[in-house]
Amino acid sequence: MASGKTAAGKAPAGKTLVIVESPTKMRSIQGYLGDGYEVLSSVGHIRDLADKRDIPEKDREAYGKYSIDIEHGFEPYYVVSDRKTKTVSELKRAVKEASELLLATDEDREGEAIAWHLLETLKPKIPVKRMVFHEITPDAIRAAVDKTRELDLALVDAQETRRILDRLYGWDVSPVLWRKIGSGSSGSALSAGRVQSAATRMVVDRERERMAFVSASYWGIEATAARDAEAFAVRLVRMDGSPLATGRDFDDKGELKRAVVVLDEDAARKLSAAIDAAGSGRVTKVEAKPGTRRPSAPFTTSTLQQEAGRKLGMSAKITMSVAQSLYERGYITYMRTDSTNLSAQAISAAREQAVGLYGEQAVPLKPRSYASKSKNAQEAHEAIRPSGDRFRTPGEVSGQLGRDEQRMYDLIWKRTIASQMSDAKFETTTVTLEADADGAKVEFTASGTVYTFKGFLEAYEEGRDEKRGDADEAKEQSLPKVAEGDVLALREANAKGHETTPKPRYTEASLVKALEERGIGRPSTFASIIGVILDRGYVVKRGQALVPTWIAFSVIRLLEDHFAELVDYDFTAELEDDLDAIARGEQRRVDWLKSFYFGGEGHPGLRNIVDNLGEIDARAINSMPITETATLRVGKYGPYLEVVDPAHPDEKPRIVNVPEDLAPDELTPAKAQELIDAPVVSDRVLGENPENGKIVVVKDGRYGPYVQEQDPPSAEDADPATGEVVEEAPKKRGAKKAAAPKPRTASLFKSMTPESVDLDTALRLLSLPRVVGADPETGDEITAQNGRFGPYLKKGADSRSLESESQIFDITLEQALELYKQPKYGAKRASSALKEFDNDPVSGKPIRVKDGRFGPYVTDGETNATIPRGETVDEVDFERAKQLLADKRAKGPVKKRTTTRKTTTARKPAAKKK
């Protein structure tokens, strides 16, 4: 761990040792505290529940598969993780040299638990205090040193209960998924989690609503009203006194919810022609209504994730990563909070800046206060805001922050300033016009809003999620002054057809909002929840939308049928409330775990549910009828249609592949029939290989199209009388057939299609790897070939990437030798990087994002850092890349595994008040 001094260096005698969980935070705080303190980092959690193999033989029966003693107070068995043994040793040495220990991890459940684990592991014999702060500024850190407290065991109990609860839930339910469903679409093992399962169900339920949705059509008419040179758009709203249908008048089954006039295309076009013929309309009403808009509250964790998703296009995970960096570097307050409250100094700072930027009228007479919605006062810190008693403007910090950090700081700064500003005031004017259209009385309306005082909108306006019915909203426009009785010209009447739409899919922002509204999960967990369901292959992203996969349908169906209570939204929310009660000291941890696991108070208990599952029909769980003859099945290699021939119901059903990019709500009966009726792509014979007489065919396989050599039919396979080739020659009893050699195959290039490939091209593909020539200096053979990560040259163990697949056939020996003269990671090699950034501030070398054997990673040529699952290459910018490398360096080198396993020395933790 780097900070000028590392944990490996002994803290001088008499110094106060401060332990934080983050290397970045460590460096910031060390600079504020000075020489009398030594600040070290635990780099997150140092202990976790043990694997079964890490538990001594004598204790394995008691702790079982969970590493939890179910029968004796749900006592967990913790061990120091392998990658933290060096860190713990260094911290223990530092504790021995210190005069006092301050545990300065975050002030939430997670941070309190980290502090407790440090205390239990280090067993210090010096005074220990809990140091907490919500922003990393000199004043806040010095105040935290002067105002320490004791460890809050209620918060520790709540976090420990959550960890035990998740272990029991996941380890009892996940194996059922493994047996009855199989692997996820991403290839990762399926898992069931207390909160992730409810979140997945929400996404699946939304897709079910979309699948059941029946679209309805309706027509509307828009026109232009004008007086002299002033013109504005109007919309037809009533006909002969009856309202005209809009999308909101239809339910999800496509049926009307109230009596309205529904125009079809023919009627709408005739009516628009009649309106154009009328040519004018009379103003029957002008109505002006004043309105007020209040600013949004300062950011909580949830609202920051939502707004960063809407305005910055950041995932919840990236949002939290960037916010963490801003917090640890001292730019914002603590970023995990469900409080909208601001301190008195923050309110004063926000008001002063608003006045300085927008004038005295920009703020109300009295400061605004926002009450927290959290019932857990111990976690209701301040809202997320710029740190300090004077906020630095985005311009003042622009040279100190990376692009994403700058954008997020700007967002937080604007939201905080706006939260203390005056209400916006506006006036909305609605004009109603009446006209006679070939005997029909038609009414048009138009609305326009004018802000008489912008107030907080000078600084910030909150984004909004897509909502159904947005298309029916009239666009804001500026209206001319008109009065009742005025006659206006009506022209350009235009009939427009509309279709009702289902509810939009969740985005990360709207899912976070929905989870919070239902009380599922807590602010600090939303990002990890979404990360897990993406990582498990339950959900994929299409743009910003979250689309459930078919395997998610199977998982949720199994859970609903056999673990209904565990995926019930209200029950999941109640669990969160119970954990909050434990954190407040109002609920006993052990009593609550007994009730959850063994049953009580109307709940059957997890153990009873699992022990009484009964028979689960895996085939039924993984099936969904689409039509009378076609059923969607979820198989080992993904979804497919199983089609029964009604004329021959006893025959083996036909299998039809379902395109991977086809969303569940798009697999309608009509689409299924289209897939069924599509021409069958069978093996296409390209011809005979003249060198060996084998038949060359092109196939379409699971991993894409390819060509293959096959043996031609032999005389033994033909009927002696007719010469017809039979499907299978009779087997001779007792004869053991030798294993046939695998046929030669070769994948098509990305630029090729099964329909266009010819015999010559196929033979060239089958001949790969192509020998380019020999290196005249070493005699090593150079070959050109295609691999998983693209075309490349190979000379012994040395390889070089090629720029295109065509070079495999075209590159000459001279060109290959010239390529090998270039540095492997030089200018030519740079083209293989997925992304490139400026030099790393630590190593001074350029940072690149590359695709490796185990997925994409960030490297500066010295340190490699894997990009976490659920995080895409597109989301990694320069600041994120630097952070990943810094975190990897802080963890130290990975220890190599040895054949002899070290016996764990972990002990059962000291008893706590239950």
Side-chain angles (χ1 to χ4, degrees):
M1 296 174 289
S3 71
K5 278 190 179 180
T6 67
K10 296 182 179 179
K15 285 194 174 185
T16 297
L17 177 63
V18 180
I19 302 179
V20 296
E21 69 272 59
S22 160
T24 304
K25 189 190 297 185
M26 173 184 71
R27 291 189 287 271
S28 299
I29 295 174
Q30 180 68 72
Y32 298 150
L33 290 179
D35 293 337
Y37 294 82
E38 181 76 4
V39 185
L40 303 178
S41 168
S42 68
V43 197
H45 274 284
I46 60 169
R47 295 199 309 179
D48 198 4
L49 292 171
D51 288 332
K52 187 175 181 180
R53 63 178 180 271
D54 290 329
I55 301 175
E57 191 70 39
K58 63 184 179 62
D59 294 323
R60 286 186 183 177
E61 184 176 352
Y63 287 94
K65 66 178 181 179
Y66 311 103
S67 300
I68 299 166
D69 191 344
I70 301 295
E71 304 298 333
H72 298 90
F74 291 85
E75 198 65 50
Y77 193 98
Y78 294 113
V79 293
V80 174
S81 59
D82 289 343
R83 60 190 181 89
K84 290 299 177 69
T85 52
K86 181 180 178 182
T87 300
V88 170
S89 297
E90 293 167 345
L91 291 174
K92 283 182 176 180
R93 286 196 296 270
V95 166
K96 289 179 181 179
E97 301 295 331
S99 60
E100 184 182 35
L101 174 60
L102 299 182
L103 298 172
T105 50
D106 292 336
E107 192 185 16
D108 56 13
R109 296 174 189 170
E110 191 84 19
E112 208 76 13
I114 292 174
W116 178 76
H117 281 293
L118 285 166
L119 191 62
E120 291 289 305
T121 304
L122 301 179
K123 303 188 182 306
K125 293 180 171 54
I126 55 176
V128 179
K129 297 176 183 177
R130 183 78 168 93
M131 172 183 165
V132 294
F133 44 85
H134 304 141
E135 58 182 339
I136 302 177
T137 60
D139 290 343
I141 296 303
R142 285 192 288 268
V145 171
D146 295 336
K147 192 178 180 181
T148 56
R149 63 168 172 81
E150 296 298 315
L151 195 69
D152 189 332
L153 291 182
L155 279 182
V156 176
D157 271 347
Q159 182 60 29
E160 195 172 15
T161 304
R162 180 188 294 274
R163 184 70 187 93
I164 292 171
L165 170 63
D166 289 343
R167 172 63 67 95
L168 295 173
Y169 188 117
W171 285 34
D172 268 349
V173 181
S174 295
V176 181
L177 304 184
W178 303 338
R179 294 193 301 269
K180 299 301 179 181
I181 297 177
S183 299
S185 59
S186 64
S188 58
L190 301 181
S191 69
R194 176 180 56 86
V195 186
Q196 77 184 51
S197 297
T200 304
R201 183 188 170 198
M202 290 174 67
V203 179
V204 169
D205 278 348
R206 176 59 56 87
E207 197 74 5
R208 287 168 172 168
E209 292 180 81
R210 292 174 63 88
M211 294 168 75
F213 179 80
V214 177
S215 181
S217 62
Y218 61 97
W219 282 72
I221 297 176
E222 295 178 359
T224 299
R227 185 177 63 182
D228 300 328
E230 296 180 296
F232 58 98
V234 293
R235 175 181 290 190
L236 181 65
V237 292
R238 278 179 293 275
M239 183 175 176
D240 291 329
S242 297
L244 206 66
T246 67
R248 293 187 178 90
D249 295 317
F250 296 88
D251 62 20
D252 286 350
K253 295 181 180 179
E255 298 175 355
L256 286 170
K257 296 185 288 186
R258 65 175 184 144
V260 291
V261 175
V262 181
L263 296 178
D264 58 20
E265 182 178 5
D266 184 56
R269 294 195 184 283
K270 288 180 179 177
L271 185 58
S272 62
I275 293 168
D276 278 339
S280 64
R282 183 173 59 87
V283 177
T284 58
K285 184 188 293 186
V286 178
E287 186 177 21
K289 290 184 178 180
T292 300
R293 284 183 62 185
R294 290 175 56 84
S296 301
F299 279 131
T300 63
T301 302
S302 167
T303 53
L304 177 62
Q305 290 174 359
Q306 294 172 47
E307 196 72 338
R310 299 184 194 110
K311 290 195 169 182
L312 308 181
M314 291 184 182
S315 67
K317 189 171 185 177
I318 294 299
T319 297
M320 294 310 293
S321 175
V322 176
Q324 177 98 26
S325 176
L326 286 172
Y327 164 64
E328 292 179 350
R329 296 176 61 190
Y331 289 98
I332 64 171
T333 54
Y334 191 51
M335 70 290 162
R336 290 189 180 91
T337 176
D338 50 10
S339 171
T340 54
N341 182 52
L342 289 176
S343 66
Q345 72 170 17
I347 291 174
S348 176
R351 286 172 63 87
E352 285 178 10
Q353 281 199 324
V355 169
L357 290 167
Y358 308 112
E360 292 287 343
Q361 76 283 359
V363 298
L365 292 176
K366 294 183 179 180
R368 292 186 183 275
S369 62
Y370 297 88
S372 172
K373 299 177 182 179
S374 174
K375 292 181 288 185
N376 190 343
Q378 291 172 320
E379 288 195 20
H381 312 314
E382 267 197 271
I384 304 169
R385 63 168 177 86
S387 60
D389 55 7
R390 180 198 169 276
F391 299 162
R392 288 166 285 185
T393 66
E396 289 175 313
V397 301
S398 61
Q400 306 161 28
L401 301 176
R403 178 174 176 270
D404 281 349
E405 288 176 323
Q406 177 73 32
R407 293 165 68 212
M408 183 166 291
Y409 183 85
D410 181 74
L411 191 70
I412 294 170
W413 180 83
K414 286 179 177 176
R415 176 87 164 215
T416 308
I417 298 298
S419 73
Q420 290 302 312
M421 291 177 66
S422 301
D423 292 343
K425 300 184 184 301
F426 61 88
E427 185 175 85
T428 298
T429 301
T430 302
V431 175
T432 303
L433 275 77
E434 186 178 296
D436 185 291
D438 196 20
K441 186 175 76 171
V442 292
E443 291 180 62
F444 292 85
T445 63
S447 293
T449 297
V450 176
Y451 277 90
T452 55
F453 177 67
K454 295 198 71 174
F456 73 92
L457 292 176
E458 293 278 9
Y460 177 84
E461 182 172 8
E462 185 176 36
R464 62 190 295 266
D465 296 316
E466 177 192 359
K467 291 184 178 179
R468 183 166 55 173
D470 282 351
D472 289 324
E473 295 289 342
K475 293 180 180 178
E476 287 296 329
Q477 59 182 322
S478 180
L479 300 180
K481 288 187 177 181
V482 296
E484 291 185 17
D486 287 353
V487 176
L488 306 180
L490 270 178
R491 58 176 184 262
E492 298 173 7
N494 185 20
K496 288 188 175 181
H498 302 275
E499 296 282 334
T500 57
T501 57
K503 291 180 181 179
R505 291 191 178 95
Y506 286 112
T507 62
E508 288 201 28
S510 61
L511 182 58
V512 165
K513 183 178 181 181
L515 288 168
E516 185 179 41
E517 289 173 346
R518 288 185 179 272
I520 295 172
R522 283 297 178 258
S524 60
T525 64
F526 293 148
S528 62
I529 291 168
I530 294 173
V532 168
I533 65 177
L534 286 167
D535 181 44
R536 292 288 182 260
Y538 297 152
V539 173
V540 296
K541 293 184 78 170
R542 179 185 286 186
Q544 293 295 316
L546 298 176
V547 184
T549 60
W550 286 110
I551 205 145
F553 277 75
S554 295
V555 167
I556 294 305
R557 183 174 177 183
L558 187 151
L559 294 176
E560 287 175 334
D561 289 352
H562 301 279
F563 299 91
E565 185 177 69
L566 299 184
V567 289
D568 178 79
Y569 297 136
D570 293 336
F571 178 72
T572 306
E574 288 170 8
L575 293 184
E576 294 292 350
D577 292 338
D578 290 341
L579 290 171
D580 286 348
I582 294 172
R584 295 191 298 268
E586 299 168 3
Q587 181 89 269
R588 285 168 57 87
R589 177 176 71 89
V590 174
D591 291 344
W592 187 86
L593 282 169
K594 283 181 179 178
S595 174
F596 171 80
Y597 194 68
F598 295 111
E601 297 183 9
H603 297 302
L606 179 62
R607 168 68 69 84
N608 293 326
I609 294 174
V610 173
D611 289 348
N612 296 282
L613 277 178
E615 189 61 34
I616 297 178
D617 187 343
R619 184 172 176 81
I621 288 293
N622 290 284
S623 302
M624 180 177 294
I626 303 297
T627 67
E628 291 183 0
T629 59
T631 301
L632 187 285
R633 308 272 191 207
V634 179
K636 183 178 180 181
Y637 301 111
Y640 62 92
L641 288 174
E642 188 178 83
V643 185
V644 175
D645 185 351
H648 304 90
D650 296 331
E651 290 186 359
K652 183 178 179 180
R654 179 183 157 205
I655 302 301
V656 177
N657 288 330
V658 174
E660 288 186 7
D661 59 351
L662 189 70
D665 75 328
E666 296 170 354
L667 187 60
T668 60
K671 182 62 179 179
Q673 195 60 50
E674 179 186 323
L675 294 173
I676 294 167
D677 294 340
V680 178
V681 180
S682 57
D683 300 349
R684 184 164 71 90
V685 177
L686 300 178
E688 180 181 307
N689 185 343
E691 293 183 3
N692 55 24
K694 292 182 180 290
I695 302 300
V696 180
V697 298
V698 60
K699 294 171 170 278
D700 199 357
R702 180 187 173 200
Y703 300 108
Y706 63 99
V707 292
Q708 183 182 73
E709 282 184 338
Q710 296 179 352
D711 290 325
S714 65
E716 295 179 358
D717 296 330
D719 186 304
T722 64
E724 180 184 1
V725 176
V726 295
E727 291 185 1
E728 185 177 353
K731 295 181 181 178
K732 295 181 180 180
R733 196 179 291 271
K736 189 174 182 180
K737 190 175 182 180
K742 289 185 177 180
R744 282 202 303 170
T745 61
S747 296
L748 266 61
F749 288 175
K750 293 177 182 178
S751 58
M752 302 174 182
T753 64
E755 295 77 22
S756 62
V757 69
D758 57 21
L759 178 61
D760 289 340
T761 302
L763 292 175
R764 296 177 78 190
L765 291 172
L766 289 168
S767 70
L768 296 178
R770 167 180 165 251
V771 177
V772 179
D775 187 328
E777 294 183 5
T778 64
D780 291 336
E781 189 176 72
I782 300 175
T783 59
Q785 50 198 297
N786 213 5
R788 180 183 175 189
F789 302 110
Y792 67 100
L793 293 175
K794 187 173 183 181
K795 181 177 68 171
D798 195 3
S799 61
R800 292 289 190 278
S801 292
L802 295 173
E803 294 179 358
S804 66
E805 291 173 320
S806 62
Q807 283 187 290
I808 295 175
F809 295 135
D810 301 338
I811 193 166
T812 64
L813 178 60
E814 290 74 17
Q815 291 170 332
L817 293 173
E818 184 61 33
L819 189 56
Y820 270 103
K821 288 180 182 178
Q822 304 295 329
K824 187 165 186 176
Y825 299 103
K828 297 211 175 224
R829 179 64 176 177
S831 63
S832 67
L834 304 178
K835 275 188 174 183
E836 295 186 6
F837 302 112
D838 292 337
N839 292 348
D840 181 80
V842 176
S843 67
K845 296 182 178 181
I847 299 176
R848 295 184 174 94
V849 179
K850 296 189 174 184
D851 201 354
R853 180 182 176 188
F854 302 106
Y857 65 97
V858 176
T859 181
D860 63 350
E862 295 180 357
T863 303
N864 296 339
T866 301
I867 295 176
R869 287 186 176 182
E871 192 171 327
T872 66
V873 171
D874 291 338
E875 294 171 327
V876 177
D877 60 8
F878 182 46
E879 293 303 318
R880 178 59 175 154
K882 286 193 300 183
Q883 186 66 45
L884 287 170
L885 290 174
D887 291 345
K888 184 63 180 291
R889 292 189 193 101
K891 292 178 182 178
V894 178
K895 290 187 176 181
K896 293 184 178 180
R897 291 186 177 270
T898 57
T899 54
T900 304
R901 186 169 185 82
K902 182 174 65 177
T903 304
T904 179
T905 58
R907 294 182 180 179
K908 188 173 178 179
K912 302 195 309 294
K913 178 183 175 183
K914 298 298 189 287

